[in-house]
Amino acid sequence: MELKERLGKEWLFFDGGTGTILQERGLAAGELPETWNLTHPEEIISLHCGYFEAGSDIVNTNTFGANALKYPHNLRQIVQAAVAHAKEARRRTGREDAYIALDIGPTGRLLQPMGDLPFERAVELFGEVVRIGAAAGADLVLIETMSDSYEAKAAVLAAKENCRLPVLATMIFDEKGKLLTGGTVDSTVAMLEGLGVDALGVNCGLGPKQMQPIVKRLTEVSSLPIIVNPNAGLPRSENSRTVFDIDADEFARLMGEIAEMGVHLLGGCCGTTPEHIRKMIAACRTKSFAPAVRKHRTVVSSFSQAVEIGGKPVIIGERINPTGKSKFKAALRENNIEYILSEGMAQEDSGAHILDVNVGLPEIDEPAMMTQAVTRLQSVIALPLQIDTSSVEAMERGMRLYNGKPMINSVSGKRESMEAVFPLVKKYGGVVVGLALDENGIPHTAEGRVQIAKKIYETAASYGIAKEDIVIDGLAMTISSDSGSALVTLETLRRIRDELGGHTILGVSNISFGLPQREIINANFFTMALQNGLSCAIINPNAESMMRSYRSFLALSGQDEQCAGFIAAYGNQQEALPASVGAVMPLGESVERGLRERAVEAARDLLRTMPPLELVNNELIPALDRVGKGFEKGTVFLPQLLMSAEAAKAAFEVVKDAMRGAPQEVKGKIILATVKGDIHDIGKNIVKVLLENYGYQVIDLGKDVPPETIADTAVRENVPLVGLSALMTTTVVSMEQTIRLLRERKPDARIVVGGAVLTQEYADSIGADCYARDAMATVHYADHIFES
């Protein structure tokens, strides 16, 4: 039977760990597990046989780290052999009812703009593996252990564009329910469901007990079959071996609890064995099975935030749009992206939930500008975006490079429009605005607009787009030319809500074109529209009259518990108004916002009146500290942290130019390295950026670094602090060997370690001086070492 016919309808079970078992069978520290497909084929076949015999319905190929970055010369042979070994194991065990998953893990590099890997290059890398694996006979693609939603999107697109196999995806969340790059369960589910994966879930990083809060949220928000593949608890080192703290019996008991939470596919990750899986299956198979059920939620998301439409009305900021805005038009013509970012940040500060992005001018390259605007806005602003364009090319470029599930503005009831837009929505995911007009124009009656809404719903369904991913624009037409137009619009809103059960949107200010004192009409019409069921309002959130209407409506309609939002906005009589766009932004704020060009300009201005070292100590370092504290509290996310660091770095360069010839203070010298066998340098690179901004000289030895190289460099450069990183359980053994060698050759050096598979207990057991949970923890430890 085809896998898709079984997903979400019956229990299905994955296999368990691969790398940790290969270590037990002799995989050396730093040795790449995928090479065993060529050098130890019987060991790989035996590993798979163990899981098939244990009862696994899905067994993963030994290709987690297989990509052209890691294997530039023999990738095809490695992937083909991996699939062949899994097929041979299935044949030997007589498990023709089971499936072989082409296992795809992360590249180990951050994607632009946070890192140096272009999005399309990531798609190419994943696509090459998919083509080889699918041709070799894999039954499905499993994208796993993804800590960055953007990289996960690249992998999903690569899978869907290069094969017709089912695509499953699992992410790696921390105990706070966050991805490395800040994503939440809600934002990630929205994106993956929009992209059309067949099942989704969580794996690695945590044991089954620690995963339960994440699983609970998955079951609350996901309409797809849910996968849960935990580690066998938390790792520690025993006699230079990585071991995990949950045995097969305890794992089975805890997985039985997870099975009762409403998941559909269960398995294991690091530290789990065929015995873990056998006992898990015995414990879970008899549990009552709850099929996957659609949640009918309307959600748009960014890399870190999800906004649900259908509860409190949603504010969509309208200011990133050239219509009627001469300054904005000039910014587009001059490629002044900083102006666009400032418009976005001002609306975020004023209370917008989503930002409309329209960069269409006849004289510019709109697809290129849309690409730039979407990627830059997402590097400094956490809000979801609405991609607003009449250009199909610009729409697709924006949707493809968008990190999340966007709103799309718009599609109409015209057949040509629907045929152009709906395939994009189906491929990339999104909540699309449906304009209540068609080839006959805009109906003059609510009945005509409702009928077009029905046509849009029905046509969308034929493309596989659910009704909840459509928001109908009831069309606000100016009352200056038709005094009854507002009443028609309000009736349309009410009928879409009450008769069709749909959600609605309006460009509110359209109602007052041609009238004086437009904000008076706009604010009152806004209140009336909200009373008639308006779900989303495209307004200027910087206009206080509009936000007063909004906050008052929430308070009066019982949607503002204890009037907390209203009091927060208006309890202070001296409330400051948002800074005007284009105003000179202080250096500290420019750094916090991640605005590189503004930071450079502000630093130059300050240097006219402030000594360079005073600028660093009183402006730059405090700004970085504020960003770092926000990151630790979870109010600032990794993209914003890195953009802030880049802005500070640019400002530092201005200061260095001013101090040229003068002695420059360096706090200390630090070595950073990803240990032997590990090519994942995301964490190391983040730490490097921050340490350099805090005044440290970093000797970056790169990735896959032998212990001898690290120790030799520490001795030669007389470095007092060494930072080591590892992502995989198969490479933390190299970390322990490196620490042991450093203790022999450079006993006075302190060692700080970090990585997704590490814990405080594990760091202690391998002899590290400090375990850093995140990049800022490394900075704090460096300060402690060099200031003590």
Side-chain angles (χ1 to χ4, degrees):
M1 185 184 296
E2 293 291 330
L3 177 62
K4 286 187 179 182
E5 297 176 18
R6 301 175 65 185
L7 285 173
K9 299 173 184 176
E10 61 178 284
W11 290 118
L12 291 172
F13 299 99
F14 274 92
D15 61 5
T18 296
T20 47
I21 291 182
L22 294 183
Q23 284 181 316
E24 294 291 327
R25 298 187 178 191
L27 182 73
E31 190 177 5
L32 302 179
E34 296 82 16
T35 61
W36 274 39
N37 294 325
L38 304 179
T39 60
H40 297 73
E42 281 301 322
E43 290 288 356
I44 301 302
I45 293 170
S46 172
L47 169 71
H48 295 326
C49 283
Y51 284 123
F52 280 127
E53 291 168 348
S56 297
D57 300 299
I58 301 172
V59 166
N60 301 331
T61 57
N62 180 32
T63 52
F64 175 81
N67 61 65
L69 295 177
K70 197 171 183 179
Y71 299 101
H73 305 300
N74 59 350
L75 177 65
R76 178 174 296 277
Q77 296 96 309
I78 284 173
V79 175
Q80 287 176 336
V83 176
H85 298 334
K87 291 169 71 175
E88 174 61 17
R90 181 171 62 183
R91 186 194 66 79
R92 290 184 188 181
T93 56
R95 287 296 312 280
E96 297 304 324
D97 61 324
Y99 306 94
I100 293 167
L102 178 66
D103 191 314
I104 293 182
T107 62
R109 288 168 60 181
L110 274 175
L111 273 61
Q112 293 176 347
M114 289 188 291
D116 61 353
L117 184 63
F119 180 84
E120 294 298 349
R121 176 59 177 150
V123 175
E124 289 174 5
L125 289 167
F126 291 127
E128 183 177 9
V129 178
V130 170
R131 288 192 298 274
I132 298 169
D139 301 306
L140 68 140
V141 176
L142 174 67
I143 297 160
E144 65 159 319
T145 321
M146 287 289 173
S147 58
D148 177 6
S149 59
Y150 205 30
E151 186 173 25
K153 177 173 181 174
V156 172
L157 286 177
K160 287 186 163 290
E161 290 174 352
N162 288 280
C163 75
R164 295 186 177 181
L165 301 177
V167 179
L168 285 59
T170 56
M171 311 295 291
I172 178 170
F173 294 94
D174 63 20
E175 290 189 68
K176 296 179 181 178
K178 295 286 184 69
L179 301 179
L180 171 69
T181 49
T184 64
V185 171
D186 289 45
S187 66
T188 305
V189 166
M191 183 197 76
L192 291 175
E193 288 189 347
L195 289 170
V197 301
D198 297 291
L200 57 80
V202 58
N203 82 292
C204 202
L206 302 171
K209 192 69 177 177
Q210 295 84 6
M211 272 190 186
Q212 287 188 9
I214 298 166
V215 174
K216 181 176 184 296
R217 189 57 186 164
L218 280 168
T219 62
E220 291 169 346
V221 300
S222 177
S223 298
L224 294 177
I226 295 169
I227 307 164
V228 182
N229 292 336
N231 291 344
L234 301 177
R236 67 180 187 277
S237 180
E238 266 184 20
N239 301 319
S240 298
R241 291 170 55 248
T242 300
V243 298
F244 289 78
D245 62 4
I246 293 181
D247 62 20
D249 289 322
E250 179 68 0
F251 186 80
R253 184 185 69 80
L254 292 170
M255 292 302 285
E257 294 178 2
I258 286 177
E260 292 174 340
M261 297 174 71
V263 304
H264 310 96
L265 300 96
L266 297 162
C269 202
C270 301
T272 57
T273 66
E275 186 65 11
H276 284 79
I277 300 304
R278 180 180 293 106
K279 291 189 173 182
M280 176 197 74
I281 293 172
C284 297
R285 192 178 291 283
T286 58
K287 301 287 184 182
S288 176
F289 182 85
V293 177
R294 290 201 64 83
K295 302 301 190 298
H296 300 292
R297 300 171 73 238
T298 301
V299 182
V300 295
S301 69
S302 66
F303 69 90
S304 66
Q305 292 187 16
V307 173
E308 183 169 3
I309 296 169
K312 287 184 181 179
V314 170
I315 300 297
I316 302 175
E318 68 179 7
R319 298 295 299 169
I320 303 178
N321 190 316
T323 304
K325 304 180 185 75
S326 57
K327 288 185 178 179
F328 195 91
K329 290 178 180 178
L332 290 176
R333 294 187 187 104
E334 297 163 9
N335 197 33
N336 184 357
I337 296 296
E338 293 270 321
Y339 185 89
I340 296 174
L341 300 183
S342 297
E343 285 281 11
M345 285 185 280
Q347 293 178 96
E348 182 180 36
D349 291 344
S350 295
H353 306 118
I354 299 170
L355 298 181
D356 183 78
V357 181
N358 185 318
V359 293
L361 278 183
E363 62 266 39
I364 70 169
D365 183 343
E366 186 182 356
M369 179 57 75
M370 181 65 78
T371 296
Q372 192 174 178
V374 165
T375 53
R376 287 293 302 276
L377 279 164
Q378 287 207 293
S379 70
V380 298
I381 292 173
L383 298 182
L385 304 181
Q386 175 171 266
I387 297 171
D388 184 357
T389 178
S390 58
S391 164
V392 175
E393 183 183 356
M395 184 180 291
E396 178 162 22
R397 291 274 288 276
M399 293 176 75
R400 186 174 180 86
L401 295 175
Y402 183 78
N403 188 358
K405 181 183 179 183
M407 283 197 81
I408 305 301
N409 194 1
S410 55
V411 68
S412 72
K414 297 178 180 179
R415 179 162 299 280
E416 180 184 12
S417 174
M418 292 188 287
E419 289 177 349
V421 173
F422 283 150
L424 299 182
V425 176
K426 178 62 177 175
K427 178 176 181 177
Y428 296 109
V431 173
V432 63
V433 174
L435 304 180
L437 62 87
D438 60 13
E439 288 84 356
N440 298 315
I442 300 173
H444 297 293
T445 65
E447 174 62 24
R449 298 181 191 185
V450 169
Q451 290 305 315
I452 292 175
K454 290 180 179 179
K455 179 169 69 172
I456 291 173
Y457 287 145
E458 291 169 0
T459 307
S462 71
Y463 284 87
I465 299 168
K467 179 180 175 182
E468 54 261 32
D469 284 330
I470 307 289
V471 178
I472 299 297
D473 188 337
L475 301 176
M477 310 299 293
T478 180
I479 56 172
S480 64
S481 60
D482 180 357
S483 59
S485 65
L487 296 176
V488 172
T489 300
L490 295 174
E491 183 185 349
T492 302
L493 298 180
R494 187 168 58 252
R495 291 185 62 183
I496 295 294
R497 178 193 64 188
D498 297 343
E499 296 177 16
L500 305 185
H503 301 309
T504 53
I505 187 171
L506 285 179
V508 175
S509 61
N510 293 342
I511 204 71
S512 64
F513 279 144
L515 294 175
Q517 298 294 319
R518 293 180 60 192
E519 66 275 9
I520 299 174
I521 292 290
N522 293 344
N524 283 280
F525 175 67
F526 185 23
T527 300
M528 296 170 73
L530 291 170
Q531 288 176 305
N532 282 274
L534 181 64
S535 308
C536 308
I538 304 174
I539 66 169
N540 177 7
N542 302 333
E544 188 55 30
S545 60
M546 300 299 285
M547 296 309 291
R548 283 175 181 152
S549 293
Y550 177 70
R551 294 180 179 120
S552 298
F553 174 80
L554 293 183
L556 292 166
S557 62
Q559 298 183 74
D560 183 6
E561 183 116 5
Q562 297 180 322
C563 300
F566 187 88
I567 292 169
Y570 304 117
N572 180 1
Q573 294 301 311
Q574 301 301 317
E575 177 188 6
L577 295 175
S580 61
V581 175
V584 176
M585 186 177 288
L587 176 57
E589 186 177 353
S590 299
V591 169
E592 289 181 67
R593 295 289 201 173
L595 298 178
R596 180 187 176 95
E597 290 82 0
R598 294 266 176 120
V600 167
E601 181 182 343
R604 286 173 178 155
D605 287 342
L606 280 176
L607 284 172
R608 296 190 182 102
T609 58
M610 183 182 293
L613 285 178
E614 184 178 332
L615 183 151
V616 170
N617 293 328
N618 294 347
E619 296 287 336
L620 288 176
I621 296 300
L624 282 171
D625 284 340
R626 290 192 294 272
V627 173
K629 289 175 181 176
F631 179 69
E632 291 170 337
K633 292 177 182 176
T635 58
V636 172
F637 303 105
L638 182 61
Q640 296 152 309
L641 177 73
L642 292 179
M643 292 303 107
S644 295
E646 287 298 321
K649 185 176 181 180
F652 272 123
E653 291 301 319
V654 174
V655 174
K656 287 179 183 178
D657 287 343
M659 295 175 63
R660 202 168 297 283
Q664 297 181 23
E665 179 184 0
V666 175
K667 286 185 179 181
K669 193 185 297 184
I670 300 171
I671 287 174
L672 292 181
T674 300
V675 297
K676 182 173 176 57
D678 203 319
I679 66 160
H680 301 85
D681 59 359
I682 291 175
K684 173 185 66 64
N685 291 343
I686 295 168
V687 172
K688 177 184 177 182
V689 170
L690 293 184
L691 285 172
E692 288 179 338
N693 275 333
Y694 275 84
Y696 292 100
Q697 178 186 345
V698 175
I699 301 173
D700 183 0
L701 297 180
K703 56 197 176 186
D704 189 19
V705 186
E708 295 77 13
T709 301
I710 297 170
D712 289 346
T713 306
V715 172
R716 183 177 64 252
E717 300 289 337
N718 192 26
V719 175
L721 180 60
V722 177
L724 303 177
S725 174
L727 176 74
M728 302 184 297
T729 52
T730 54
T731 58
V732 288
V733 177
S734 295
M735 183 179 283
E736 184 175 6
Q737 292 178 349
T738 303
I739 292 173
R740 192 180 305 121
L741 192 61
L742 282 167
R743 296 299 185 214
E744 294 174 5
R745 298 190 186 177
K746 191 75 169 64
D748 60 330
R750 301 291 181 89
I751 302 166
V752 56
V753 298
V757 297
L758 293 176
T759 64
Q760 182 66 61
E761 182 182 3
Y762 197 103
D764 293 341
S765 69
I766 61 176
D769 297 297
C770 175
Y771 162 61
R773 292 180 59 88
D774 54 45
M776 283 307 301
T778 306
V779 173
H780 295 325
Y781 184 67
D783 287 343
H784 169 72
I785 294 300
F786 286 95
E787 292 174 5
S788 60

